[in-house]
Amino acid sequence: MKARNPRTGQEDYEFAASSRDEIAAQAARLRDAQPAWEALGPDGRATILMRFADAMEAATQQIATTLTIDTGRGAVSWIEVQGAIGNIRRWASRGPDLFASLDRGPKASATPGVEIVTDYSAFPLFGAIAPWNFPVILSHIDAVPALMAGCAALVKPSEITPRFVEPMRDVLAQVPELPLAYVMGGADVGQALIEEVDYVCFTGSTATGRKVAEAAARKLIPANLELGGKDPMIITASADPEWAAGVALRSSIVATGQACQSIERIYVDSDIAEPFIDALVAGAEKVDITHPDPNAGHIGPFIFPPQAAKVQEQIDDAVAKGAEVRSGGTVEDLDGGQYLRPTILTGVTPDMLVMREETFGPVLPVTIYDEIENAIAQANDTEYGLSAAILAGSLEEAASLASRLDAGAISLQDGALTSMVGDAANQSRGTSGLGPSRMGDTGMTRFLREQAHIRQTGQPLPIDAYREGQAG
Ligand code: NAD
């Protein structure tokens, strides 16, 4: 298979897709290794995960360099690798305490004479299927807590961004005790992985998530889905308009908006709409694309060309239906890379594609509201429910509105905080996901199976207790 360089448009990297037999062999090898891994106990596994983090840290340069080529972004790649290492260290330090806090009993049952002990064991083989937007973080975000729980882990990164796997395989060679392996390829490899594993975590689009859920249902294994979003941000009349514009801009355009938790709809109170939009446009004009110098500017090319075409289609649809482009608006093809400057749209209406479908680009459609009730209703008028944000004059005011938003995580006085905070448990709503939270303690405990040890401390019932003719 070939991978494309998003800065040049050239397919300049070749890699071998895993065959069905190779995937089965990897899965069998991991299954063989898993009992010894689980038997190490939480402290033993945490020690090895810390070594994994150290080896990854020592290879940061190599990993970030390949990631920079695949994603067309330098600073974000370094931050991403640091984030992935932080995720390993966080689970390695939290894991042992979390195991110690599990309720094992014995405790009295409501059934007289019986007490209950709970034993925990990991699903033997965990599988992850990851997207291209944050290839390193999202390939490991669920695999690491699964490993901490005692599972072996088989990971399929996106075929659009495969380059980081080479340096990661070198890292894994330094930690041979860690039962983690990668398989490479597209949809067929994803389906083959589901056939092999006992638990699957999928991060990607809602459309593919449905196919993964169907395959997992046929196999009767749990599937956790982390899918798309159309995150709203509400800005109330008491918010400082310039401050709010800065927060909205960053939350929407970081990583060229190719983040699930990007702010994709803005609702601003009419009292501050004018200074807010002026500040937003002024801020957008100060943002540079990273072309021609990849080491200057803020936002890079689109990673995946069909995404750029989809974003342009949404902008064109909005304009055709009466929206006004206040900045940006046109995808530029520069030396084979496709770039879009921050695009601010006003005069948008709920029927426009840009208000209904996930955009995954640096586009900010702004809606002006008069009543907060109306803003909340419009923010909730979506099939998605990933996350949302509220900016107000005070944290108290923002907090008073939070529960009314129909989404899994609400950022208050900031935007897109789920990209920076790994320990806030949240469950996506609507078509944004399914299953227990990957953040917070359930991120690990979901991979443990409870086995009940039901102890009879009195006398077992004799068969005569069931003899006919003695009722009443
Ligand atoms: P995608 O759904 O196209 O692909 C994701 C992965 O699924 C890839 O590895 C792909 O090879 C694999 N795949 C494709 N078809 C498959 C099939 N039939 N069976 C099994 N696997 C299959 O997603 P993408 O375009 O790579 O990523 C962008 C999407 O990911 C956006 O919708 C974004 O919102 C979402 N996302 C969600 C989160 C979250 O935490 N909720 C985080 C990041 C990205």
Side-chain angles (χ1 to χ4, degrees):
M1 292 183 98
K2 287 189 170 165
R4 180 183 166 277
N5 180 327
R7 296 195 73 85
T8 64
Q10 301 296 315
E11 289 189 334
D12 57 3
Y13 183 78
E14 218 165 323
F15 64 103
S18 307
S19 70
R20 188 67 190 79
D21 286 351
E22 282 163 359
I23 297 164
Q26 285 281 29
R29 183 182 68 77
L30 289 170
R31 268 188 200 284
D32 284 350
Q34 188 270 337
W37 171 249
E38 189 166 20
L40 286 174
D43 289 327
R45 293 196 295 277
T47 303
I48 292 170
L49 281 169
M50 283 295 189
R51 274 181 39 218
F52 178 43
D54 293 344
M56 210 171 151
E57 187 159 52
T60 299
Q61 173 84 44
Q62 291 88 320
I63 303 166
T65 301
T66 53
L67 189 60
T68 298
I69 301 173
D70 260 343
T71 60
R73 53 195 192 207
V76 173
S77 293
W78 281 82
I79 293 168
E80 182 177 346
V81 177
Q82 292 308 320
I85 296 166
N87 181 52
I88 302 170
R89 295 204 169 115
R90 193 166 55 75
W91 279 115
S93 63
R94 177 70 186 135
D97 287 347
L98 196 47
F99 266 97
S101 72
L102 293 175
D103 182 5
R104 295 172 190 276
K107 60 183 175 208
S109 162
T111 303
V114 167
E115 62 181 33
I116 299 168
V117 167
T118 307
D119 190 45
Y120 296 88
S121 65
F123 285 90
L125 185 54
F126 160 86
I129 301 175
W132 48 256
N133 62 324
F134 285 93
V136 174
I137 287 257
L138 295 172
S139 290
H140 301 96
I141 192 165
D142 301 307
V144 168
L147 286 159
M148 186 62 235
C151 313
L154 188 61
V155 173
K156 192 199 90 60
S158 169
E159 70 278 24
I160 311 295
T161 49
R163 285 173 231 236
F164 77 90
V165 172
E166 266 184 61
M168 280 307 295
R169 284 190 170 137
D170 294 341
V171 167
L172 285 185
Q174 297 168 47
V175 201
E177 307 94 320
L178 194 71
L180 167 64
Y182 306 101
V183 286
M184 307 299 289
D188 52 333
V189 176
Q191 288 290 323
L193 176 139
I194 298 167
E195 285 300 314
E196 296 291 345
V197 301
D198 306 307
Y199 196 121
V200 64
C201 283
F202 171 81
T203 309
S205 64
T206 298
T208 309
R210 285 203 166 92
K211 293 180 192 161
V212 168
E214 282 165 10
R218 274 195 298 278
K219 216 194 153 211
L220 288 179
I221 60 168
N224 290 177
L225 311 175
E226 301 281 351
L227 309 174
K230 190 75 205 162
D231 287 4
M233 172 179 270
I234 293 180
I235 302 165
T236 72
S238 62
D240 176 74
E242 285 217 13
W243 165 77
V247 178
L249 188 66
R250 188 215 76 223
S251 311
S252 176
I253 68 166
V254 165
T256 318
Q258 300 163 115
C260 57
Q261 77 291 339
S262 272
I263 294 299
E264 296 209 347
R265 294 175 292 148
I266 292 173
Y267 299 94
V268 61
D269 191 290
S270 55
D271 282 0
I272 60 162
E274 203 183 312
F276 169 79
I277 293 169
D278 287 348
L280 196 60
V281 172
E285 279 163 3
K286 288 197 199 102
V287 170
D288 282 326
I289 55 174
T290 63
H291 183 277
D293 181 357
N295 297 313
H298 304 89
I299 58 175
F302 284 97
I303 296 173
F304 188 47
Q307 195 65 43
K310 190 178 144 193
V311 173
Q312 187 67 63
E313 184 194 334
Q314 290 188 5
I315 295 168
D316 293 347
D317 169 79
V319 171
K321 288 175 179 155
E324 194 184 337
V325 177
R326 306 290 292 266
S327 71
T330 307
V331 173
E332 300 166 65
D333 192 317
L334 302 168
D335 297 332
Q338 285 159 309
Y339 298 81
L340 178 63
R341 293 170 199 278
T343 296
I344 296 165
L345 301 172
T346 53
V348 291
T349 49
D351 59 313
M352 295 174 179
L353 294 177
V354 77
M355 296 297 284
R356 307 227 69 86
E357 294 184 358
E358 187 176 43
T359 303
F360 234 52
V363 181
L364 298 89
V366 181
T367 302
I368 300 170
Y369 71 85
D370 285 322
E371 298 291 335
I372 187 70
E373 293 303 319
N374 187 253
I376 291 169
Q378 289 191 73
N380 288 338
D381 178 22
T382 171
E383 66 172 80
Y384 293 107
L386 190 69
S387 38
I390 304 172
L391 305 182
S394 71
L395 181 58
E396 292 68 29
E397 184 192 335
S400 73
L401 299 170
S403 305
R404 301 189 57 199
L405 288 175
D406 194 13
I410 317 296
S411 296
L412 305 177
Q413 304 298 77
D414 203 338
L417 280 175
T418 49
S419 64
M420 302 170 212
V421 177
D423 46 8
N426 67 89
Q427 281 171 283
S428 301
R429 301 185 183 183
T431 58
S432 286
L434 194 65
S437 174
R438 67 159 42 144
M439 307 297 191
D441 289 347
T442 52
M444 187 195 88
T445 55
R446 64 190 158 147
F447 300 124
L448 296 174
R449 300 167 301 175
E450 290 167 312
Q451 185 181 56
H453 296 185
I454 307 168
R455 301 174 170 181
Q456 178 58 273
T457 64
Q459 280 307 314
L461 283 179
I463 185 61
D464 274 353
Y466 301 91
R467 190 154 50 86
E468 297 294 353
Q470 51 180 10

